[in-house]
Amino acid sequence: MNATIVRHILDTIANMFPDAHCELKHSNAFELTIAVLLSAQCTDETVNKVTVDLFQKYKTPEDYIAVPLEELEQDIRRIGLYRNKAKHIQNMCRILIEQYEGEVPSEHDRLVQLPGVGRKTANVVVSNAFGVPAIAVDTHVERVSKRLGLAGWKDSVLEVEKKLMKRVPMDEWTITHHRLIFFGRYHCKAQSPKCQVCPLLDVCREGKKRMKTSQIRKDKERGSSALTKRK
């Protein structure tokens, strides 16, 4: 894919979602880390419903480890995999207290060493909380990147990230991450993408395939209907 097409994709998505942003509600790096950890295999909407009370009850790492694990589990029970996530949160908080004076580290390599914090979570935290350029690849970013040809169909999440980092200017990494998420969440959905009205249909291999399939289906239906009328 050449730079002109990449620029066209980035500018089009920018025009569609100029106000794209992190939708996980938080007020500091610590809350953001907790929220992203909870968001694994769960929607941001559900996480926000849980954290509105969670962040009122727990303000510091010390607060999270001051309660029994079972109590924290109940506080986040509406979140998928809540038992494992509760363990990760408490273990992470212990490390923050013991090694980082209760503060979330700003370095990516230190973040990924925390329990429950993978590469995607670390990228979200460093870019949104500390202003470090990064592209976090979630399910929306991966799906959209592959459909638009910014990455290969068989690329791993890490390969998708590396290709986006190579093709997108560094000063646009963070905002592109948000715009790709918005594009995938509200327009290029997994099951019902809005291909018919998509301004990127001309460069989308998935969209072209879907539209062609849809047209073939319509042609068959017309043919079947015409045959029925003749009978």
Side-chain angles (χ1 to χ4, degrees), residues 47-129:
V47 172
N48 286 335
K49 289 178 180 179
V50 170
T51 56
V52 68
D53 293 323
L54 192 73
F55 292 160
Q56 286 295 316
K57 180 176 180 180
Y58 304 98
K59 301 290 187 180
T60 66
E62 289 82 0
D63 293 336
Y64 281 96
I65 64 173
V67 300
L69 177 62
E70 293 74 17
E71 182 174 343
L72 180 56
E73 288 178 350
Q74 287 305 303
D75 289 332
I76 64 171
R77 66 187 181 281
R78 285 181 288 172
I79 300 286
L81 306 175
Y82 69 92
R83 287 192 175 89
N84 282 335
K85 291 177 181 179
K87 291 179 183 177
H88 287 324
I89 289 172
Q90 287 198 336
N91 289 334
M92 178 183 72
C93 287
R94 291 189 181 96
I95 293 176
L96 292 180
I97 294 168
E98 295 169 1
Q99 299 182 23
Y100 301 105
E101 299 181 350
E103 299 294 328
V104 173
S106 59
E107 298 84 1
H108 189 280
D109 59 344
R110 293 187 177 183
L111 280 166
V112 294
Q113 294 176 19
L114 298 173
V117 178
R119 187 175 182 85
K120 184 201 79 171
T121 298
N123 281 342
V124 173
V125 173
V126 297
S127 61
N128 289 278

Side-chain angles (χ1 to χ4, degrees), residues 134-156:
I135 297 180
V137 179
D138 69 351
T139 55
H140 298 297
V141 174
E142 180 181 8
R143 180 176 70 253
V144 169
S145 297
K146 291 181 176 181
R147 284 179 173 178
L148 292 175
L150 293 168
W153 289 119
K154 296 182 180 180
D155 284 350
S156 66

